[in-house]
């Protein structure tokens, strides 16, 4: 009743339901910002549930709401809000803030299908900043940049994802990249010419839900520092490393150039220096080829997923074998502990789980 009384003053823009469908977040807009902070009005968030609960979610920073997303496996949600750099906050189902992700240039929240990892991203008109967190303990896993990305989608396995630069948002340098959550590029495809454009990306035959992937270790401070933004370079000059500058002055003595001096005579000629650099680069290239580690293919990633599922099935069958032993003890008239009886009662659930994993 309280919600419908408030409804006359706002315009609902979007509704986000949790997994069970029993709770929802309403993203509403008000034509007039009473604080005077914005000419375009105010964005408000309301929580409602089937039990009749309703209240406004209190945000700690003024400004628009960029994104609101529920964890697909838990009754928790994240909100990105406030003037840039925006603030990211994790709320529980009681609308209490339980974790702050700090301030940065984000506009999207991207949970993986299993809900054990989340990415806070800045795409579109932002630079492509991505930070991944472990949702179990909210620790930072990685921090890197996917430049010029206009598209993002998780793989069904939940530990790799794809980004793309697509038309019509950007009509030049269209490409897509396959990443893992550490920020490593597993595959990169760029369209041959600017006349060819990339319009859409999607995963073929995605599974309904695979087992949760293993969460990688959190990134170290050294790794995070290595991924800090570099100086801007135009798209056409990003294929190779930035050109290094070199001095064109001749070798001098005491700051004065002297023709025929020992300093000039002892200096190798430009051609000799060029040949020396070629030899060094070639030796380095041969050494890199020897030490190169082949990048994992999609087949390797799929086999890893299958191994995880087989391991889980073996563990479940081991529990069923233990249950059979306990049932034998019951048949012999032995009295079991409560936890042992609970294990016997879970037999049907274990069988259903094995069937699902063996599909």
């Amino acid at each position: 009743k309280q919600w419908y009384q408030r409804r006359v003053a706002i315009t609902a823009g979007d509704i986000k339901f949790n997994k069970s469908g029993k709770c929802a977040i309403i993203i509403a807009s008000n034509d007039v910002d009473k604080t005077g902070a914005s000419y375009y009005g105010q964005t408000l968030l309301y929580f409602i549930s089937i039990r009749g609960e309703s209240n406004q979610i209190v945000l700690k920073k003024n400004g628009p709401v960029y994104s609101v997303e529920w964890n697909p496996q838990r009754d928790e949600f994240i909100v990105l809000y406030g003037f840039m750099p925006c603030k990211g906050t994790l709320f529980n189902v009681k609308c209490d803030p339980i974790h702050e992700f700090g301030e940065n240039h984000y506009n999207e929240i991207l949970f993986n299908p299993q809900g054990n990892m989340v990415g806070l991203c800045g795409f579109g008109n932002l630079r492509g900043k991505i930070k991944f967190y472990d949702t179990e303990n909210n620790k930072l896993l990685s921090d890197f940049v996917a430049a010029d990305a206009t598209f993002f989608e998780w793989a069904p396995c939940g530990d790799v994802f794809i980004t793309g630069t697509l038309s019509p948002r950007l009509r030049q340098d269209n490409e897509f990249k396959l990443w893992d959550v550490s920020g490593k590029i597993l595959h990169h495809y760029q369209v041959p010419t600017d006349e060819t454009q990339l319009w859409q990306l999607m995963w073929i035959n995605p599974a309904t839900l695979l087992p949760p992937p293993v969460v990688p270790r959190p990134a170290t401070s050294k790794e995070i520092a290595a991924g800090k933004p570099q100086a801007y370079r135009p798209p056409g000059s990003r294929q190779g490393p930035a050109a290094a500058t070199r001095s064109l002055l001749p070798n001098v003595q005491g700051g004065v150039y002297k023709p025929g001096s020992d300093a000039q005579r002892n200096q190798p000629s430009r051609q000799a220096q060029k040949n020396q650099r070629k030899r060094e680069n070639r030796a380095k290239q041969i050494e890199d080829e020897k030490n190169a580690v082949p990048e994992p293919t999609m087949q390797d990633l799929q086999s890893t997923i299958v191994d995880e599922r087989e391991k889980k099935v073996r563990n479940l069958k081991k529990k069923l074998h233990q249950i059979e032993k306990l049932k034998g003890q019951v048949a012999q008239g032995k009295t079991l502990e409560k936890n042992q009886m609970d294990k016997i009662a879970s037999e049907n659930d274990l069988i259903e789980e094995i069937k699902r994993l063996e599909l």
Side-chain angles (χ1 to χ4, degrees):
K1 182 177 180 182
Q2 184 181 5
W3 163 245
Y4 286 106
Q5 290 173 349
R6 293 181 180 179
R7 188 181 177 191
V8 296
I10 63 173
T11 302
D14 197 5
I15 301 178
K16 300 277 188 176
F17 285 92
N18 67 346
K19 181 184 179 182
S20 64
K22 297 180 179 180
C23 303
I25 303 297
I26 297 179
I27 306 173
S29 60
N30 196 338
D31 293 336
V32 178
D33 185 357
K34 296 181 180 179
T35 64
S38 174
Y39 173 80
Y40 299 99
Q42 186 179 16
T43 305
L44 305 173
L45 294 182
Y46 291 90
F47 171 86
I48 59 174
S49 71
I50 61 173
R51 296 192 296 269
E53 301 170 333
S54 68
N55 59 281
Q56 181 178 347
I57 300 173
V58 178
L59 303 177
K60 297 181 180 179
K61 187 176 182 179
N62 293 330
V65 175
Y66 302 99
S67 183
V68 180
E69 293 295 339
W70 288 91
N71 186 317
Q73 302 299 326
R74 300 182 187 176
D75 284 336
E76 298 175 349
F77 61 93
I78 297 177
V79 183
L80 296 180
Y81 60 95
F83 296 109
M84 287 292 177
C86 69
K87 194 176 185 66
T89 304
L90 175 67
F91 294 86
N92 59 18
V93 74
K94 296 180 180 179
C95 300
D96 297 326
I98 56 178
H99 183 73
E100 297 289 347
F101 293 100
E103 296 187 359
N104 216 310
H105 293 82
Y106 302 132
N107 56 11
E108 289 192 42
I109 304 164
L110 299 160
F111 285 98
N112 69 342
Q114 293 79 4
N116 65 340
M117 285 183 280
V118 63
L120 303 184
C121 314
F123 294 146
N125 60 337
L126 299 179
R127 192 167 181 268
K129 182 78 169 178
I130 301 178
K131 282 189 177 184
F132 283 108
Y133 292 88
D134 174 9
T135 59
E136 293 288 341
N137 48 33
N138 299 314
K139 287 186 177 180
L140 179 64
L141 301 177
S142 58
D143 180 358
F144 56 97
V145 173
D148 301 326
T150 62
F151 173 86
F152 180 108
E153 186 171 350
W154 283 101
C157 59
D159 56 359
V160 297
F161 61 93
I162 193 169
T163 63
T165 303
L166 307 182
S167 292
R169 183 63 184 266
L170 289 176
R171 297 183 180 273
Q172 291 185 338
D173 298 320
N174 284 179
E175 62 182 4
F176 71 83
K177 297 177 182 178
L178 181 69
W179 309 70
D180 63 15
V181 294
S182 67
K184 180 181 180 182
I185 299 177
L186 306 178
H187 181 71
H188 179 200
Y189 173 80
Q190 189 168 16
V191 296
T193 63
D194 287 340
E195 286 75 18
T196 305
Q197 295 178 347
L198 193 61
W199 293 89
Q200 186 177 9
L201 297 170
M202 66 181 299
W203 293 96
I204 299 176
N205 299 325
T208 53
L209 186 63
L210 294 174
V214 177
V215 177
R217 64 171 178 80
T220 63
S221 58
K222 185 176 181 181
E223 292 171 339
I224 294 174
K228 293 294 183 183
Q230 304 297 320
Y232 173 78
R233 294 167 60 197
S237 64
R238 293 177 184 171
Q239 301 301 321
T245 59
R246 62 184 180 88
S247 174
L248 299 179
L249 296 176
N251 200 352
V252 297
Q253 287 183 343
V256 179
Y257 172 65
K258 298 181 179 180
S261 65
D262 293 338
Q264 185 182 14
R265 287 195 299 269
N266 295 333
Q267 182 182 12
S269 65
R270 292 186 179 179
Q271 186 61 39
Q273 294 176 2
K274 184 176 180 180
N275 293 338
Q276 178 64 23
R277 286 195 297 270
K278 286 184 177 180
R279 289 192 294 269
E280 292 174 354
N281 292 338
R282 181 56 183 166
K284 183 179 179 181
Q285 183 179 358
I286 294 174
E287 185 67 22
D288 292 342
E289 290 176 354
K290 290 180 180 179
N291 299 330
V293 179
E295 294 184 354
T297 62
M298 288 300 296
Q299 184 176 3
D300 296 333
L301 295 173
Q302 292 174 355
S303 63
T304 302
I305 296 171
V306 172
D307 292 342
E308 290 292 332
R309 296 175 68 179
E310 290 178 350
K311 181 178 179 181
K312 191 168 184 179
V313 169
R314 287 197 301 269
N315 291 335
L316 293 174
K317 288 183 177 180
K318 183 178 179 181
K319 292 181 180 180
L320 286 178
H321 182 66
Q322 295 172 353
I323 290 175
E324 290 297 329
K325 288 184 177 180
L326 293 175
K327 290 168 68 176
Q329 295 177 8
V330 172
Q332 295 174 4
K334 184 177 179 180
T335 302
L336 301 181
E337 300 291 337
K338 183 180 182 302
N339 61 339
Q340 293 175 319
M341 296 301 296
D342 292 341
K343 181 178 288 189
I344 294 175
S346 66
E347 182 179 12
N348 291 334
D349 294 337
L350 296 177
I351 294 173
E352 290 297 326
E353 180 69 10
I354 291 174
K355 290 180 180 179
R356 186 181 71 82
L357 292 173
E358 290 181 341
L359 288 179

